[in-house]
Amino acid sequence: MKRLQNFLQQLGADEAGARMYALMERLYPICRSITGPGVRQTLDILQEFLPLQRNEVPTGTQVFDWTVPNEWTIRSAWIKDPAGACIVDFKRCNLHVVSYSTPVHGQMSLAELKKHLHSDPEHPDWIPYRTSYYQESWGFCLTHRQLLSLQEGEYEVCIDADLLPGSLSYAECVIQGNSPTEVLLFAHTCHPSLCNDNLSGVVLLASLGQYLRRCHLNWTYRLVFAPATIGSITWLSRNQEGLDRIKAGLIVSVAGDPGSITYKRSRHGSALIDRAAAHIVRQGEKPGTILPFSPWGYDERQFCSPGINLPIGRITRSPNGAYAEYHTSADNLDLVQAGHLQDSLHRIMQILHVLESDRRYQNLAPFGEPQLGRRGLYRMMGGYTNIGALQHALLWVLNYSDGLHSLLDISEMSGLDFPTLQHAAELAEKSGLLSPQPLSLEHCAIPERNLPLHQHTS
Amino acid sequence: MKRLQNFLQQLGADEAGARMYALMERLYPICRSITGPGVRQTLDILQEFLPLQRNEVPTGTQVFDWTVPNEWTIRSAWIKDPAGACIVDFKRCNLHVVSYSTPVHGQMSLAELKKHLHSDPEHPDWIPYRTSYYQESWGFCLTHRQLLSLQEGEYEVCIDADLLPGSLSYAECVIQGNSPTEVLLFAHTCHPSLCNDNLSGVVLLASLGQYLRRCHLNWTYRLVFAPATIGSITWLSRNQEGLDRIKAGLIVSVAGDPGSITYKRSRHGSALIDRAAAHIVRQGEKPGTILPFSPWGYDERQFCSPGINLPIGRITRSPNGAYAEYHTSADNLDLVQAGHLQDSLHRIMQILHVLESDRRYQNLAPFGEPQLGRRGLYRMMGGYTNIGALQHALLWVLNYSDGLHSLLDISEMSGLDFPTLQHAAELAEKSGLLSPQPLSLEHCAIPERNLPLHQHTS
Amino acid sequence: MKRLQNFLQQLGADEAGARMYALMERLYPICRSITGPGVRQTLDILQEFLPLQRNEVPTGTQVFDWTVPNEWTIRSAWIKDPAGACIVDFKRCNLHVVSYSTPVHGQMSLAELKKHLHSDPEHPDWIPYRTSYYQESWGFCLTHRQLLSLQEGEYEVCIDADLLPGSLSYAECVIQGNSPTEVLLFAHTCHPSLCNDNLSGVVLLASLGQYLRRCHLNWTYRLVFAPATIGSITWLSRNQEGLDRIKAGLIVSVAGDPGSITYKRSRHGSALIDRAAAHIVRQGEKPGTILPFSPWGYDERQFCSPGINLPIGRITRSPNGAYAEYHTSADNLDLVQAGHLQDSLHRIMQILHVLESDRRYQNLAPFGEPQLGRRGLYRMMGGYTNIGALQHALLWVLNYSDGLHSLLDISEMSGLDFPTLQHAAELAEKSGLLSPQPLSLEHCAIPERNLPLHQHTS
């Protein structure tokens, strides 16, 4: 079994991005919603890659303040113009029908029809994505250009769909680590043919799960594939007794567009997951963005509701709603690229690596500096201006391994990267200079914002 | 009885600014000082508008480290030049005589006279304002241009004034609210014909009092009209037993010039009054300035002395000394404008509205988000990028109504304005989702500076 | 006996800079190392200026994780080229020999010789400074230009040196103050002909000691002259029982170059020494730089190791390694100037003045402002815009002398300089308005970073 960090360098050789993209191509045509056969079909495909525990929660089940709704099955939906030509067809694009539309079949005037048509004037060539989960109605979405071109006359509309008692489907994959303490990873599965939001998150979680299953892990990882909002609420409602085990987590979504990586903090603000993710997101050639928590977005709304309040943040590239193609037919296979998916996977694995590795050490020779030279830990010729990052890292971990500061603390203080400090700590531990303290996902005694900022002088 | 917020929109229709300006025009000609008939005449006029408790504190009364001084009565004061022409006359401008000048009548050379003349070379056409409360002396103030024009020769000077045992005059208007907890509002009344400093504060407090008397109020408001320094010290000395009831307050002065609004924090720095005022002052088309506390300025020097240390801040437009006309004859009816007075009144009423309304709520459905849609609190068609400010406000108050965060906290965190959040909270309370906690003027458990900064994503 | 502040103005008249420079000229030619006769010769000269307790610690003594090494005595060292010409000679520049080189005498090819030659390609005309304290080897340093000019052939090399049991030499000068609480000042003495690093620190400490001996002092000052690293470790190891008395300190080095003053914080970060030094370094026409602690640099590495953790910061001009001439022959009598040495001395004396003088006062008339006028502490004519710095200082010390805030706190809050506030406090104490609290070097109850920032309005 390898450690997670060993896989970090081989994502490129594995063609991880291309593999995720290929899976997304398979999932893209399926019409998903918060319930129904499209979700189950999606989970069937994921099960080829990961062992999944499947769950079906019956319609009518009370989940906190909500009730699991009827299941929606859509077979076909179309509009014929006065001349009998089929001008809008669900088969061509499943965004054409408002999700959860009730069945309808009849003739109506253009004026009557227009009450059920949705378009986006700002993007006249794109079909918008609309839903009506909790109010029975029906509707079609089409490009604004097409809407404007419609002539007066009698139109025939048909939505061949069921809205009947059934169940809500979700799946989990639990990957055991040494400790029962859990890290939760969540991707929402309820969107139809929309790639970035959120097939990108689905395929990323699938790929991540495959790597995690090959790792020696300290923590237990729980991957959840469920519909947004009602899905996370259902999951939370049915797993209340196990929530105490969850000490970190990420909502993964919008992971394939060209935007830079974005981390949105948990409601805690400076839990270990927040600090680890912020640390990683700030790094690299294209540093990302760190957002504070807000109660608007994806399923962090539920995981960070005041009665739940788990230390779970959110990883995206562009935030929800912050890219033009959001919730339109332009969120397609062209928008998402394999390279972006792979970069997102790399970032998340780096974050999990910090969770797996961060710890405090105790300096066993704390009076003055220990003599590193005779232990082969320091260059023997003195007088140089620049001693190099590993030498600096050694001095930093020795000085701050006082039982209070973890490697992540020291990384933030020193500006040195986490792997270098980890390497230095392991060298010092082998030399008997450092004693490791127990691993923990709750060791953030020193809030990030109170740490002094340091720059190491070269 | 209306709530304070109901009056906020009608200040323009009420011509509140014009009314304040008209009152200022009546008060402007009166020669006030820290004692004497001018102050009493001023309070007589204010009493036409507000019921005032009048107080007279005899000369010689010990007030903390000070003693109430003799009362000063000025009848006339003039200088005649060697040709017998009256060149300086108190009747033309009461700034011409140094306040608290002792009586004098005699002839003297120009050189001798000049020891008693004060001018401002930087503003050669303005008459400066000078006082000599605690050192018996006499003097005249005149324009620097006139000073330079004086010819050699014998001058006749006359100050017909008394400096005799009497009393110091101040007045209060107490407007009862539901709670005996008090908000103190203070304007100094000791300046002669100077408009911005501080007839502006006097007329603003008078107008504010008229509105407050028509409101349903949670707190009791105490409006104090008293001379600066010795007046506030006298008031504090005579009201020590009631200081514990005062949980917020504002010194109101310099409220009519064109400068933007300025709030100076209390010595506490982040009491509720500080946070409410800073929040309001930061808003609007022309955001104002927030100053830290310093022991130099107006009567906040006394209310925030270390042994008193009340949570009382200061509202001005330009700060004291920070406008050219300060303490000169140019601080007149041209400098102050009705619109500026009205804007200041509006800001202060907004601040008091926060004091009246800020509270914590407890979310009664804290596990996941409550289903807002079936309660009519959420649009039923999903998928949109922008949900609007009220929807955001609902999510924010629900998420942070955890017993720790007040509406003002949430306003600062979310960047949403206080009235919108208040409206959202009232809607959620009506739907049974929020339970209000008791009102308090001391609920700032989370210091402002420790709140995470949030921006809501649209 | 004068107070330290009395000497601050007379450094120029004393020609303190020129005196320090003259001493440096005497010390420059001596070849020092971490042990050996050069160090003892240096201490002999310092003893002309200050009474020194001399210490010799035998080779082999265990000092924490280290062992005192053999003593190095160098007599001569040279290289002769194939033609017999002496091309490198220790007598011309003692940087030519790698410090702690083992003895050698023999003939060798250029290729063999080059394994023992060190040059700096980036500065081809300068001789680098290299050491090999803890690995037995020998070597020469020379300019890169000379290295490139060497012809093939047989070279003769000679290093006439001993590396034998002896002792490590250091010296102390303890200057008693009223309190046994100590301020430690440390300069490293182990560098050969290098002026800025660190003859500048040595001569500065010598001069400072001469002034301190003429002062009435509240604290006891301990000046330590010892080699870097092994010297401070040795000193710490032998003085463990007295470390509790040390409540502040400075490492003094690199004090004579043209760079602006730099303070590097102790590991505490906001101990009184940190706050006093940061306050002084931020001031003046040429404000300096304040660096956070890092475990790389000079002897702060030992004094701030986690098991020692003393509140000792570091004063330099350019930081170590941050000037081009660092550890080369260009760190000579041209780089360092008397004026820079004097400026550094002035800054350090200002810092020590804060340590000597900072204290809390208790306002004895805290209810409202006391009437300053009748005590002669306030101008009697009122109405002016600008009351001057001393008047402001009086108001600040009165308002914040609440038992919590020290003069340094008030200085940081008000932006007023420390001596003005100290003067105001002494005036107020004489008038019976303030009562001084006991002096302490550990009174920093309010961390610097939590103080509100204030600007006094003029």
Side-chain angles (χ1 to χ4, degrees):
Chain A
M1 296 288 271
K2 290 186 178 181
R3 289 161 76 188
L4 184 57
Q5 66 200 99
N6 302 125
F7 289 105
L8 272 166
Q9 300 310 319
Q10 76 181 59
L11 296 185
D14 287 353
E15 297 191 327
R19 288 160 176 267
M20 287 187 278
Y21 190 88
L23 175 56
M24 194 175 65
E25 286 179 306
R26 284 181 64 193
L27 299 172
Y28 179 65
I30 301 168
C31 182
R32 282 163 294 269
S33 185
I34 53 173
T35 62
V39 179
R40 281 190 282 270
Q41 191 181 344
T42 299
L43 299 177
D44 290 344
I45 293 172
L46 294 179
Q47 210 154 359
E48 300 173 19
F49 298 86
L50 279 183
L52 293 180
Q53 296 168 287
R54 300 282 289 267
N55 297 271
E56 297 290 335
V57 184
T59 294
T61 303
Q62 188 72 18
V63 286
F64 294 140
D65 191 57
W66 302 61
T67 307
V68 173
N70 279 335
E71 184 173 323
W72 187 59
T73 305
I74 175 84
R75 284 175 292 271
S76 75
W78 44 260
I79 303 174
K80 288 186 180 162
D81 71 6
C86 182
I87 56 169
V88 168
D89 191 345
F90 167 76
K91 290 194 181 63
R92 286 201 288 269
C93 174
N94 56 37
L95 301 183
H96 271 314
V97 68
V98 169
S99 195
Y100 261 64
S101 280
T102 47
V104 65
H105 191 184
Q107 297 248 334
M108 62 193 68
S109 67
L110 178 60
E112 184 62 26
L113 175 61
K114 276 190 173 174
K115 296 175 187 167
H116 298 271
L117 298 184
H118 305 276
S119 71
D120 179 358
E122 288 188 28
H123 299 105
D125 293 316
W126 297 349
I127 305 164
Y129 165 58
R130 294 288 177 265
T131 66
S132 187
Y133 300 137
Y134 300 104
Q135 187 176 46
E136 294 211 349
S137 73
W138 61 267
F140 285 90
C141 300
L142 69 172
T143 71
H144 197 63
R145 201 172 302 278
Q146 186 176 22
L147 179 68
L148 293 177
S149 73
L150 298 183
Q151 307 292 320
E152 292 295 331
E154 283 287 295
Y155 286 78
E156 183 182 356
V157 301
C158 173
I159 296 179
D160 179 14
D162 294 331
L163 202 51
L164 296 169
S167 62
L168 178 149
S169 313
Y170 70 85
E172 291 178 273
C173 172
V174 178
I175 303 167
Q176 295 292 342
N178 286 341
S179 161
T181 295
E182 286 188 15
V183 178
L184 183 133
L185 301 158
F186 183 96
H188 63 270
T189 54
C190 53
H191 284 39
S193 293
L194 294 166
C195 280
N196 201 30
D197 181 8
N198 184 34
L199 289 178
S200 68
V202 170
V203 301
L204 197 145
L205 224 58
S207 178
L208 179 61
Q210 292 182 291
Y211 281 108
L212 290 172
R213 281 166 47 79
R214 296 158 65 196
C215 288
H216 171 93
L217 296 168
N218 291 314
W219 315 118
T220 293
Y221 290 80
R222 182 178 297 269
L223 283 58
V224 180
F225 299 88
T229 307
I230 186 68
S232 50
I233 287 170
T234 299
W235 187 90
L236 283 165
S237 169
R238 290 162 56 96
N239 289 277
Q240 294 177 68
E241 72 297 335
L243 297 183
D244 282 350
R245 284 198 301 271
I246 300 173
K247 302 302 184 194
L250 290 171
I251 308 298
V252 180
S253 49
V254 183
D257 68 279
S260 64
I261 203 86
T262 301
Y263 179 71
K264 176 180 168 179
R265 291 181 188 272
S266 78
R267 194 174 182 275
H268 287 241
S270 59
L272 183 58
I273 182 64
D274 297 310
R275 299 183 54 213
H279 181 71
I280 295 301
V281 164
R282 273 194 286 261
Q283 292 184 341
E285 292 168 30
K286 195 180 174 185
T289 303
I290 298 155
L291 298 174
F293 177 73
S294 66
W296 173 239
Y298 290 117
D299 290 280
E300 68 274 15
R301 294 162 67 166
Q302 314 312 326
F303 288 102
C304 299
S305 57
I308 304 293
N309 203 20
L310 286 171
I312 293 181
R314 189 189 76 187
I315 279 281
T316 63
R317 296 186 74 83
S318 297
N320 57 311
Y323 59 103
E325 301 87 351
Y326 174 77
H327 280 190
T328 74
S329 56
D331 184 351
N332 58 25
L333 290 163
D334 293 331
L335 176 66
V336 171
Q337 292 176 28
H340 304 320
L341 289 168
Q342 187 169 309
D343 179 67
S344 300
L345 177 61
H346 191 264
R347 295 278 195 171
I348 291 172
M349 286 173 71
Q350 286 180 300
I351 295 167
L352 300 185
H353 167 57
V354 175
L355 298 187
E356 286 282 315
S357 310
D358 191 34
R359 70 194 315 162
R360 294 180 184 145
Y361 290 85
Q362 189 75 43
N363 185 333
L364 301 174
F367 303 103
E369 290 175 355
Q371 196 184 5
L372 299 175
R374 65 177 157 87
R375 294 176 174 89
L377 297 176
Y378 209 75
R379 72 170 79 192
M380 299 307 290
M381 173 69 61
Y384 292 92
T385 302
N386 195 333
I387 58 168
L390 183 60
Q391 299 277 291
H392 275 295
L394 264 167
L395 296 177
W396 277 98
V397 295
L398 286 168
N399 194 292
Y400 280 100
S401 287
D402 53 5
L404 294 173
H405 299 83
S406 76
L407 292 181
L408 182 57
D409 295 331
I410 301 171
S411 186
E412 290 173 352
M413 294 167 81
S414 67
L416 295 166
D417 64 36
F418 187 90
T420 303
L421 286 160
Q422 189 194 11
H423 181 43
E426 288 170 357
L427 288 176
E429 184 185 347
K430 278 182 200 152
S431 292
L433 292 173
L434 291 184
S435 165
Q437 297 190 359
L439 286 162
S440 162
L441 280 175
E442 299 175 285
H443 64 182
C444 286
I446 301 177
E448 180 179 16
R449 59 177 167 270
N450 286 345
L451 284 176
L453 285 173
H454 288 80
Q455 296 293 334
H456 73 285
T457 49
S458 64
Chain B
M1 297 287 272
K2 291 185 178 181
R3 290 161 76 188
L4 184 57
Q5 66 200 99
N6 303 125
F7 288 105
L8 272 166
Q9 301 309 319
Q10 75 181 60
L11 295 185
D14 286 353
E15 297 191 325
R19 287 160 177 267
M20 288 187 277
Y21 190 87
L23 175 56
M24 194 175 65
E25 285 179 306
R26 284 182 65 192
L27 298 173
Y28 180 64
I30 300 167
C31 182
R32 281 161 296 271
S33 185
I34 53 173
T35 62
V39 179
R40 280 190 283 270
Q41 192 181 344
T42 299
L43 298 177
D44 290 344
I45 293 172
L46 294 179
Q47 211 155 359
E48 299 173 20
F49 299 85
L50 278 183
L52 294 180
Q53 295 168 288
R54 301 282 288 268
N55 296 271
E56 297 290 335
V57 184
T59 295
T61 304
Q62 188 71 18
V63 287
F64 293 141
D65 191 56
W66 302 61
T67 308
V68 173
N70 279 335
E71 184 174 324
W72 187 59
T73 305
I74 174 85
R75 284 174 294 271
S76 74
W78 46 260
I79 304 174
K80 289 185 181 165
D81 71 5
C86 183
I87 57 168
V88 168
D89 192 345
F90 167 75
K91 289 193 179 67
R92 287 201 288 267
C93 173
N94 56 35
L95 301 183
H96 272 316
V97 67
V98 169
S99 195
Y100 260 64
S101 280
T102 49
V104 65
H105 191 182
Q107 299 247 334
M108 63 193 69
S109 67
L110 178 60
E112 184 62 27
L113 175 62
K114 276 190 172 174
K115 296 175 186 166
H116 297 271
L117 299 184
H118 305 275
S119 71
D120 178 358
E122 288 187 28
H123 301 104
D125 293 316
W126 297 350
I127 304 164
Y129 164 58
R130 294 286 177 268
T131 65
S132 187
Y133 300 137
Y134 299 104
Q135 186 176 47
E136 293 212 351
S137 72
W138 62 267
F140 286 88
C141 299
L142 70 172
T143 71
H144 197 62
R145 200 172 302 278
Q146 185 176 22
L147 180 68
L148 294 177
S149 73
L150 297 183
Q151 306 292 319
E152 291 296 331
E154 283 287 296
Y155 285 77
E156 184 183 356
V157 301
C158 174
I159 297 179
D160 180 13
D162 295 331
L163 202 52
L164 297 169
S167 62
L168 179 149
S169 313
Y170 70 85
E172 290 178 272
C173 172
V174 177
I175 303 166
Q176 295 291 342
N178 285 343
S179 161
T181 295
E182 286 188 16
V183 178
L184 184 132
L185 301 158
F186 182 96
H188 62 271
T189 54
C190 54
H191 283 39
S193 293
L194 294 165
C195 280
N196 201 30
D197 180 9
N198 185 33
L199 288 178
S200 68
V202 169
V203 302
L204 197 147
L205 225 58
S207 178
L208 179 62
Q210 292 183 291
Y211 281 108
L212 289 173
R213 280 166 49 80
R214 296 158 66 195
C215 288
H216 172 93
L217 295 168
N218 291 314
W219 315 119
T220 294
Y221 290 80
R222 183 178 296 270
L223 283 58
V224 181
F225 300 89
T229 307
I230 186 69
S232 49
I233 287 171
T234 298
W235 187 90
L236 284 165
S237 169
R238 289 163 56 96
N239 289 278
Q240 293 177 67
E241 73 295 338
L243 297 183
D244 282 350
R245 284 197 301 271
I246 301 172
K247 302 302 185 194
L250 290 172
I251 308 298
V252 180
S253 49
V254 183
D257 68 279
S260 64
I261 204 84
T262 301
Y263 178 71
K264 176 179 166 180
R265 291 180 188 273
S266 78
R267 193 174 182 274
H268 287 241
S270 60
L272 182 58
I273 182 64
D274 296 310
R275 299 182 54 214
H279 181 71
I280 295 301
V281 164
R282 273 192 285 261
Q283 293 184 341
E285 294 170 28
K286 195 181 174 185
T289 303
I290 297 155
L291 298 175
F293 177 72
S294 67
W296 173 239
Y298 290 116
D299 290 281
E300 67 274 15
R301 293 162 68 165
Q302 314 312 327
F303 288 101
C304 300
S305 56
I308 304 292
N309 204 18
L310 287 171
I312 294 181
R314 189 190 76 188
I315 279 281
T316 62
R317 298 185 75 82
S318 296
N320 58 310
Y323 59 104
E325 301 86 351
Y326 174 76
H327 280 191
T328 75
S329 55
D331 184 351
N332 58 26
L333 290 163
D334 293 332
L335 176 67
V336 171
Q337 292 176 26
H340 303 322
L341 289 168
Q342 188 170 308
D343 178 68
S344 299
L345 177 61
H346 191 265
R347 295 277 194 171
I348 291 172
M349 287 173 71
Q350 286 180 299
I351 295 167
L352 300 186
H353 168 56
V354 175
L355 298 188
E356 286 282 315
S357 309
D358 191 34
R359 69 192 317 162
R360 294 179 184 145
Y361 290 85
Q362 189 75 43
N363 185 333
L364 301 175
F367 303 104
E369 290 175 356
Q371 196 183 5
L372 298 176
R374 66 175 157 88
R375 295 178 172 90
L377 297 176
Y378 210 75
R379 73 170 77 194
M380 298 307 290
M381 175 69 61
Y384 292 92
T385 301
N386 194 335
I387 58 167
L390 183 61
Q391 298 277 291
H392 274 295
L394 265 167
L395 296 177
W396 277 98
V397 295
L398 287 168
N399 193 292
Y400 280 99
S401 287
D402 53 4
L404 293 173
H405 299 83
S406 76
L407 293 181
L408 182 57
D409 294 331
I410 300 171
S411 186
E412 290 174 352
M413 294 167 82
S414 66
L416 295 166
D417 65 36
F418 187 89
T420 303
L421 286 161
Q422 188 193 11
H423 181 44
E426 288 171 356
L427 288 176
E429 184 185 347
K430 278 182 199 152
S431 292
L433 291 173
L434 290 185
S435 165
Q437 297 191 358
L439 286 162
S440 162
L441 280 175
E442 299 174 286
H443 64 182
C444 286
I446 302 177
E448 180 180 17
R449 60 177 167 269
N450 286 346
L451 285 176
L453 285 173
H454 288 81
Q455 294 293 335
H456 73 285
T457 49
S458 63
Chain C
M1 297 288 270
K2 291 184 177 181
R3 289 160 76 187
L4 184 57
Q5 67 200 99
N6 302 125
F7 288 106
L8 272 167
Q9 300 309 319
Q10 76 182 59
L11 296 185
D14 286 354
E15 298 191 323
R19 287 159 177 268
M20 289 187 276
Y21 190 88
L23 174 56
M24 194 175 64
E25 286 180 304
R26 284 181 64 191
L27 299 172
Y28 179 63
I30 302 168
C31 182
R32 281 162 294 272
S33 184
I34 52 173
T35 61
V39 179
R40 280 191 283 270
Q41 192 181 345
T42 298
L43 298 177
D44 290 343
I45 293 172
L46 294 178
Q47 210 154 359
E48 299 173 20
F49 298 85
L50 279 183
L52 294 180
Q53 296 167 288
R54 301 282 289 268
N55 296 271
E56 297 290 334
V57 184
T59 295
T61 303
Q62 188 71 19
V63 286
F64 294 140
D65 190 55
W66 302 61
T67 308
V68 172
N70 279 335
E71 184 175 324
W72 187 59
T73 305
I74 174 86
R75 285 173 294 271
S76 74
W78 46 260
I79 303 173
K80 288 185 181 165
D81 73 5
C86 182
I87 56 168
V88 167
D89 192 343
F90 167 74
K91 290 193 179 67
R92 287 200 288 268
C93 174
N94 57 37
L95 302 182
H96 271 316
V97 67
V98 168
S99 196
Y100 260 64
S101 279
T102 48
V104 65
H105 190 182
Q107 297 248 334
M108 64 192 66
S109 66
L110 178 60
E112 184 62 27
L113 175 61
K114 277 190 173 173
K115 295 176 186 166
H116 296 271
L117 298 184
H118 305 276
S119 71
D120 178 359
E122 289 188 27
H123 300 104
D125 293 316
W126 297 349
I127 305 163
Y129 165 58
R130 294 288 177 266
T131 66
S132 187
Y133 301 136
Y134 300 104
Q135 187 176 46
E136 293 209 353
S137 73
W138 62 266
F140 286 88
C141 299
L142 70 173
T143 71
H144 197 63
R145 200 172 302 279
Q146 186 175 23
L147 180 69
L148 295 177
S149 72
L150 298 183
Q151 306 293 319
E152 292 296 331
E154 282 288 295
Y155 286 77
E156 185 183 354
V157 301
C158 174
I159 296 179
D160 179 14
D162 294 331
L163 203 51
L164 296 169
S167 61
L168 178 149
S169 312
Y170 71 84
E172 290 178 273
C173 172
V174 178
I175 304 166
Q176 295 292 342
N178 285 342
S179 161
T181 295
E182 287 188 15
V183 178
L184 183 133
L185 300 159
F186 182 97
H188 62 271
T189 54
C190 53
H191 284 39
S193 293
L194 294 166
C195 279
N196 201 30
D197 180 8
N198 185 33
L199 289 177
S200 68
V202 169
V203 301
L204 197 146
L205 224 59
S207 178
L208 179 61
Q210 293 182 290
Y211 281 107
L212 290 173
R213 280 167 48 79
R214 295 159 65 194
C215 288
H216 172 93
L217 295 168
N218 291 315
W219 315 118
T220 294
Y221 290 80
R222 181 178 299 268
L223 284 57
V224 180
F225 300 89
T229 307
I230 185 68
S232 49
I233 287 170
T234 299
W235 186 90
L236 284 165
S237 169
R238 289 163 56 96
N239 289 277
Q240 294 178 68
E241 73 294 336
L243 297 183
D244 282 350
R245 284 197 301 271
I246 299 173
K247 302 303 183 193
L250 290 171
I251 309 297
V252 180
S253 49
V254 184
D257 68 280
S260 65
I261 203 85
T262 301
Y263 178 71
K264 175 179 167 179
R265 291 181 188 271
S266 78
R267 193 174 182 276
H268 287 241
S270 59
L272 182 58
I273 183 65
D274 297 310
R275 298 183 53 214
H279 181 71
I280 295 301
V281 164
R282 274 194 284 261
Q283 292 184 340
E285 293 169 28
K286 195 180 174 185
T289 304
I290 297 156
L291 298 175
F293 177 72
S294 66
W296 172 238
Y298 290 117
D299 289 281
E300 67 274 15
R301 293 162 69 166
Q302 314 312 325
F303 289 101
C304 300
S305 57
I308 305 292
N309 204 18
L310 287 170
I312 293 181
R314 189 191 76 187
I315 280 281
T316 62
R317 297 184 75 83
S318 297
N320 57 311
Y323 59 104
E325 301 87 350
Y326 173 77
H327 279 190
T328 75
S329 56
D331 184 350
N332 57 26
L333 290 163
D334 293 332
L335 176 67
V336 171
Q337 293 177 26
H340 303 321
L341 289 169
Q342 187 170 309
D343 179 67
S344 299
L345 177 61
H346 190 264
R347 295 278 195 171
I348 292 173
M349 286 174 71
Q350 286 181 299
I351 295 167
L352 300 186
H353 168 56
V354 175
L355 298 187
E356 286 282 315
S357 310
D358 191 34
R359 70 193 314 161
R360 294 179 184 145
Y361 289 86
Q362 190 75 43
N363 185 333
L364 301 175
F367 304 104
E369 290 175 355
Q371 195 183 4
L372 299 175
R374 65 175 157 87
R375 296 178 172 89
L377 296 177
Y378 210 75
R379 74 171 75 193
M380 298 307 290
M381 174 70 60
Y384 292 92
T385 302
N386 194 333
I387 58 167
L390 183 60
Q391 299 277 291
H392 274 294
L394 264 167
L395 297 177
W396 277 99
V397 294
L398 286 167
N399 194 292
Y400 281 99
S401 286
D402 53 5
L404 293 174
H405 298 83
S406 76
L407 292 181
L408 182 57
D409 294 331
I410 301 171
S411 186
E412 289 173 352
M413 295 167 82
S414 66
L416 295 166
D417 64 37
F418 187 89
T420 303
L421 286 160
Q422 187 193 13
H423 181 43
E426 287 170 358
L427 287 176
E429 184 185 347
K430 278 183 200 152
S431 291
L433 292 172
L434 291 184
S435 165
Q437 297 191 358
L439 287 162
S440 162
L441 280 175
E442 298 173 285
H443 64 182
C444 286
I446 302 176
E448 180 179 16
R449 58 178 167 271
N450 286 347
L451 284 176
L453 285 174
H454 288 80
Q455 295 293 335
H456 72 285
T457 49
S458 63

